[in-house]
Amino acid sequence: MRLLSLLTAALSFAVATGGIPGRAAAQDHQGQAIAEAVAAPHRSADFVARDRYRHPQEVLEFLDLEPGMTVVEIWPGGGYWTEMLAPYLRERGIYHTAISPSGASERAARAAAEWRKKLAGAPAIYSKVKIGEFGRGVAEIVPAGSADAVLTFRNIHNWMSAGFAEEAFAAFFKALKPGGILGVEEHRARTDQPQDPQASNGYVREDYVIELAKKAGFELAGRSEVLANPKDTKDWPRGVWTLPPTLALGDQDRDKYLAIGEADNFLIKFRKP
């Protein structure tokens, strides 16, 4: 009887603490699947070189992504995350990329064409990637309540500059299922200065983003310091773009800025109730 009591207590403790063998195995499998996506041979050399700043394994694990999810990435840029998320979600999940509307400008039209060309160039990897649009006035990115996760990396300053950051967060909330995750990475502004409403230097205060998310209806689910860079003093002549990878000053003080590395960034996870 005493042995039975001990086994029952141990099982109860495991359930309470999340230490169930099945769950641990699932987490190990998830981590291995992410590691395989990070190490995929199709990834571009320039993007792989940035892993030391962007910590993709840690970021994707923090965001609780699983291979069977429906994931929406907002404004994927050149595809740093797409090169990993596409194979990670290919077999069991659904992966949407929401790019800037091609009709918004000539630049947006060129970017849309380049994006389609990138995906078409490697059908074995990208043929299942869905392409949609997101921008001012686009209230529905995917069917309402259909996404398990919406992700955006270093984009909020652009929406602030264009004046639709609140609209953006409302659209993300609409896209997600109850319990769905919003993952946000952004250049972290100093807390001893007020937030520039247009984020003209590319930096955004962390508390400002948390309030944007809460106003849209989200709950704070977690914060990570994996992307922190204490060398970034955030007082550069060309804002955040002074630092790599942009290096807006060209060869001027290039070694100095390379030694600093990419910006100090925050990573936040929100949940739709």
Side-chain angles (χ1 to χ4, degrees), residues 8-147:
T8 301
L11 179 60
S12 299
F13 177 79
V15 171
T17 59
I20 317 170
R23 179 174 178 179
Q27 290 174 334
D28 288 344
H29 179 73
Q30 175 198 20
Q32 180 60 35
I34 292 173
E36 290 173 1
V38 172
H42 68 268
R43 293 188 63 211
S44 66
D46 286 346
F47 284 158
V48 171
R50 297 180 64 191
D51 288 354
R52 59 180 175 142
Y53 302 119
R54 306 203 69 174
H55 304 286
Q57 179 86 26
E58 294 90 337
V59 169
L60 295 179
E61 289 183 355
F62 170 77
L63 295 174
D64 297 327
L65 297 189
E66 298 177 6
M69 285 183 166
T70 295
V71 176
V72 183
E73 184 183 359
I74 308 296
W75 286 15
Y80 175 87
W81 292 102
T82 300
E83 290 187 358
M84 292 172 278
L85 289 173
Y88 182 70
L89 298 166
R90 180 175 174 81
E91 297 304 321
R92 294 169 48 203
I94 300 173
Y95 177 41
H96 297 265
T97 57
I99 61 178
S100 185
S102 57
S105 65
E106 290 185 7
R107 180 181 179 184
R110 289 194 301 271
E114 290 171 2
W115 187 245
R116 294 180 186 279
K117 181 179 179 181
K118 177 183 177 71
L119 300 189
I125 301 163
Y126 301 126
S127 63
K128 293 185 178 181
V129 176
K130 300 180 182 298
I131 304 175
E133 294 185 340
F134 170 72
R136 182 191 291 276
V138 179
E140 187 168 278
I141 312 162
V142 292
S146 65

Side-chain angles (χ1 to χ4, degrees), residues 230-242:
K231 296 179 182 178
D232 179 8
T233 55
K234 308 163 190 184
D235 54 359
W236 315 116
R238 296 283 183 88
V240 72
W241 302 282
T242 308

Side-chain angles (χ1 to χ4, degrees), residues 128-191:
K128 293 185 178 181
V129 176
K130 300 180 182 298
I131 304 175
E133 294 185 340
F134 170 72
R136 182 191 291 276
V138 179
E140 187 168 278
I141 312 162
V142 292
S146 65
D148 295 295
V150 172
L151 311 177
T152 181
F153 302 96
R154 308 183 182 190
N155 288 313
I156 297 172
H157 60 276
N158 294 310
W159 305 329
M160 292 171 65
S161 177
F164 67 97
E166 288 189 12
E167 180 184 331
F169 276 78
F172 305 156
F173 189 88
K174 181 178 180 181
L176 285 164
K177 301 173 182 178
I181 291 294
L182 171 63
V184 173
E185 177 194 354
E186 183 54 285
H187 311 306
R188 178 167 26 211
R190 293 165 57 161
T191 57

Side-chain angles (χ1 to χ4, degrees), residues 242 244-247 249-260:
T242 308
T246 306
L247 293 170
L249 295 179
D251 289 335
Q252 180 182 334
D253 293 325
R254 182 183 181 88
D255 290 342
K256 168 186 172 181
Y257 297 123
L258 285 173
I260 292 166

Side-chain angles (χ1 to χ4, degrees), residues 188-189 191 195 204-211 223-225 266-268:
R188 178 167 26 211
T191 57
Q195 177 63 58
V204 183
R205 284 181 54 143
E206 195 169 356
D207 56 353
Y208 184 88
V209 171
I210 291 172
E211 286 306 310
R223 300 160 80 170
S224 172
E225 288 297 299
F266 60 77
L267 179 64
I268 308 179

